[in-house]
Amino acid sequence: MFDRPDNGERAVLVYINFISRLDEEELHEFRELALSAGAEPIAVVTGARKKPDPKYLIGEAKAQEIREQILSVGADIVLVDHRLTPAQERNLERFLQCRVLDRTGLILDIFAQRATTHEGRLQVELAQLQHLSTRLVRGWTHLERQKGGIGLRGPGETQLETDRRLIGLRIKQLAKRLSKVHNRRQQGRRARKKADIATVSLVGYTNAGKSTLFNRITQADVFAQDQLFATLDPTLRRCDLGGNSKVILVDTVGFIRQLPHDLVQAFHSTLEETREASLLLHIIDASYADSQGNIQHVNAVLKEIGAEHVPQLEVYNKIDLVAGFEQGACQPRIDRDETGQAVRVWVSAYTGEGIALLLQAMKERMAGDMLHQWVCVAPGNGRLRSLIYKNANVLRECIDDTGDILLEIVISYKDLSSIQAKEGVKLEKEPDKRVINCCG
């Protein structure tokens, strides 16, 4: 068995299409993944097959071509844009005499570099161990059965079996720790629900500009970079939509084509923030040629994690990069459906254009069953007036000729019912000539 290099950075990229022809967009994305992992792509091998080869996935002739490329350019690692079985990975490494990493391993390596929080590191380690547990091979001489001796004879567990057992124990430990993190997150969600604070989660294809938009709206300082999976750990910030309307905004990890199933499972507790949200802001790169394809991939992942039922507001970001933007081809706007509901907003998180429209659309969508109403408050009932100002958006405050206070408010049916149960609110029609003073 060959010695694995400590630092495999010079990489040969392998992309095989099993459908019809070379997809330049997918190849570009794979190259970006390699760059995000810190690799230096020095050669690309492409091809097409009707079906995967059971031994090498790519076929023996293509494997020979890759071997020649490795010797020619002096590569340290081969990155394959497909999911390899443990046997295929082992066979390729033996044939190429070079380290081989499939798409899942590459994504996990990027995640390991991006994780900064305790929870993120636990989730990445769990996903890595689950991936590694199927790939333990008998590649070193110390993996032979332990020899017996006086006082040492026993069942003779092999080193390979020991490694598997230790990995299994570590996976159980990580699962137990993540269960505690999951319980803490549930407590946080229950506290937000009790305080009646809605959650809005940002989702979208990786590198669509979620973190930049998150920073623009919340004035946060989340790491944002023009690369795949720039941010991994979720971030929560309070966002004021105006008029006593506040939400918790959640920045999540970006999605991608062929997101590994076991990786989704490892990040399940984090993705629950998306599933439990009141509204999803689906961030879409308006300048990307295959934006509709990315939308389908994101919706597929949302369905996989059980979040397909959560209402969505599509946010087309990066309009400043759309061709003809300077000539007015793509300007900030709100697109509405036949009922007048905001369904799509066009913005630029980088320049800030359209952000006010986005906040307006979010406020409308979060309003849901809002009531536009006048209420009457007796002049001495300061408690009721305070409750109304705390829970409603007060548009105008007037005083009639009897001294009663008339308030024009926008409030949810739920909050109005709660106030009525506590104080007994008198509902009014729009005030007439009784008003002697009005402000707001």
Side-chain angles (χ1 to χ4, degrees):
M1 188 70 175
F2 66 92
D3 291 329
R4 296 188 176 222
D6 294 329
N7 56 342
E9 294 185 350
R10 293 167 58 83
V12 173
L13 307 186
V14 179
Y15 175 86
I16 305 297
N17 196 300
F18 293 100
I19 302 175
S20 56
R21 58 184 177 81
L22 177 67
D23 190 324
E24 292 292 346
E25 292 293 343
E26 289 190 5
L27 181 57
H28 173 73
E29 178 182 276
F30 182 46
R31 182 181 179 87
E32 290 297 317
L33 276 174
L35 291 172
S36 295
E40 179 188 352
I42 54 177
V44 178
V45 176
T46 62
R49 289 182 63 88
K50 290 184 179 180
K51 60 180 182 179
D53 174 55
K55 185 175 182 180
Y56 294 121
L57 180 91
I58 57 178
E60 189 166 349
K62 188 62 66 174
Q64 182 61 41
E65 180 183 342
I66 296 170
R67 186 173 183 175
E68 292 171 1
Q69 282 282 4
I70 294 170
L71 295 174
S72 173
V73 300
D76 302 308
I77 188 170
V78 173
L79 302 178
V80 182
D81 189 29
H82 304 279
R83 187 160 189 171
L84 298 170
T85 66
Q88 288 170 342
E89 185 175 309
R90 180 173 65 250
N91 292 338
L92 278 173
E93 286 190 338
R94 286 175 176 170
F95 183 82
L96 301 176
Q97 287 297 297
C98 180
R99 189 182 174 201
V100 175
L101 197 64
D102 68 354
R103 183 183 178 89
T104 300
L106 181 61
I107 292 176
L108 288 173
D109 185 81
I110 296 171
F111 276 21
Q113 297 178 46
R114 301 286 190 268
T116 57
T117 65
H118 173 66
E119 179 186 4
R121 293 193 182 101
L122 288 178
Q123 291 175 332
V124 169
E125 185 181 353
L126 176 60
Q128 286 179 317
L129 288 177
Q130 288 173 337
H131 183 66
L132 177 64
S133 62
T134 63
R135 282 163 165 74
L136 290 177
V137 295
R138 194 175 185 274
W140 293 270
T141 56
H142 74 278
L143 298 186
E144 60 192 22
R145 186 171 297 276
Q146 295 171 0
K147 296 179 180 179
I150 298 175
L152 297 176
R153 293 184 177 90
E157 184 181 42
T158 66
Q159 184 64 45
L160 183 61
E161 291 168 342
T162 302
D163 291 343
R164 285 176 176 162
R165 177 171 53 80
L166 293 176
I167 287 178
L169 290 174
R170 182 59 179 167
I171 287 175
K172 289 181 180 179
Q173 291 175 351
L174 291 172
K176 189 174 181 180
R177 291 186 186 180
L178 282 172
S179 177
K180 293 181 180 179
V181 174
H182 170 73
N183 293 335
R184 285 199 296 269
R185 282 193 173 276
Q186 282 191 323
Q187 290 175 355
R189 281 193 290 270
R190 284 195 295 267
R192 292 197 295 271
K193 286 182 179 179
K194 189 175 182 181
D196 201 23
I197 302 178
T199 301
V200 177
S201 184
L202 276 69
V203 299
Y205 209 77
T206 184
N207 207 27
K210 294 185 305 301
S211 297
T212 304
L213 184 63
F214 182 84
N215 289 339
R216 174 71 68 173
I217 295 176
T218 64
Q219 306 302 312
D221 191 24
V222 174
F223 178 73
Q225 190 74 28
D226 184 18
Q227 61 185 15
L228 303 186
F229 300 121
T231 45
L232 171 62
D233 301 305
T235 307
L236 285 73
R237 292 287 188 278
R238 186 182 293 266
C239 177
D240 188 354
L241 301 180
N244 291 326
S245 181
K246 296 180 176 62
V247 297
I248 297 295
L249 209 61
V250 184
D251 184 24
T252 61
V253 63
F255 299 155
I256 197 169
R257 289 179 176 88
Q258 303 176 43
L259 189 66
H261 180 74
D262 53 357
L263 187 142
V264 172
Q265 288 297 317
F267 284 78
H268 194 70
S269 61
T270 299
L271 294 172
E272 277 189 352
E273 295 291 351
T274 298
R275 193 176 64 187
E276 299 295 330
S278 303
L279 177 69
L280 299 181
L281 295 187
H282 186 165
I283 315 302
I284 303 160
D285 185 350
S287 66
Y288 186 64
D290 189 24
S291 59
Q292 291 303 313
N294 287 353
I295 292 173
Q296 293 174 4
H297 288 291
V298 170
N299 287 332
V301 176
L302 290 175
K303 184 176 182 180
E304 185 175 358
I305 64 176
E308 72 275 13
H309 66 282
V310 183
Q312 282 191 30
L313 174 62
E314 292 186 345
V315 182
Y316 279 78
N317 188 26
K318 302 186 182 181
I319 60 172
D320 56 305
L321 300 180
V322 175
F325 173 74
E326 298 294 339
Q327 290 73 38
C330 186
Q331 292 299 307
R333 68 179 188 273
I334 297 177
D335 293 342
R336 301 180 182 276
D337 60 15
E338 60 277 3
T339 66
Q341 184 182 63
V343 294
R344 196 174 299 108
V345 187
W346 299 76
V347 305
S348 170
Y350 181 74
T351 65
E353 296 182 78
I355 298 301
L357 294 176
L358 174 58
L359 295 176
Q360 175 189 332
M362 288 171 60
K363 187 175 179 181
E364 290 178 13
R365 291 294 299 268
M366 295 304 297
D369 54 346
M370 299 298 284
L371 180 66
H372 187 179
Q373 182 68 51
W374 284 86
V375 295
C376 180
V377 179
N381 196 345
R383 172 184 170 85
L384 174 57
R385 181 175 176 274
S386 176
L387 274 174
I388 292 173
Y389 266 90
K390 182 178 180 181
N391 294 279
N393 180 16
V394 180
L395 304 179
R396 280 188 291 172
E397 178 175 336
C398 307
I399 301 176
D400 66 10
D401 51 8
T402 65
D404 287 338
I405 301 172
L406 301 175
L407 300 172
E408 182 184 8
I409 64 172
V410 176
I411 189 171
S412 69
Y413 286 100
K414 179 181 177 181
D415 287 337
L416 181 60
S417 299
S418 177
I419 295 174
Q420 283 181 314
K422 293 178 181 178
E423 298 292 334
V425 177
K426 181 181 178 183
L427 303 181
E428 288 277 343
K429 294 182 180 179
E430 188 170 353
D432 49 23
K433 295 180 181 180
R434 294 180 300 147
V435 175
I436 59 174
N437 185 25
C438 194
C439 60

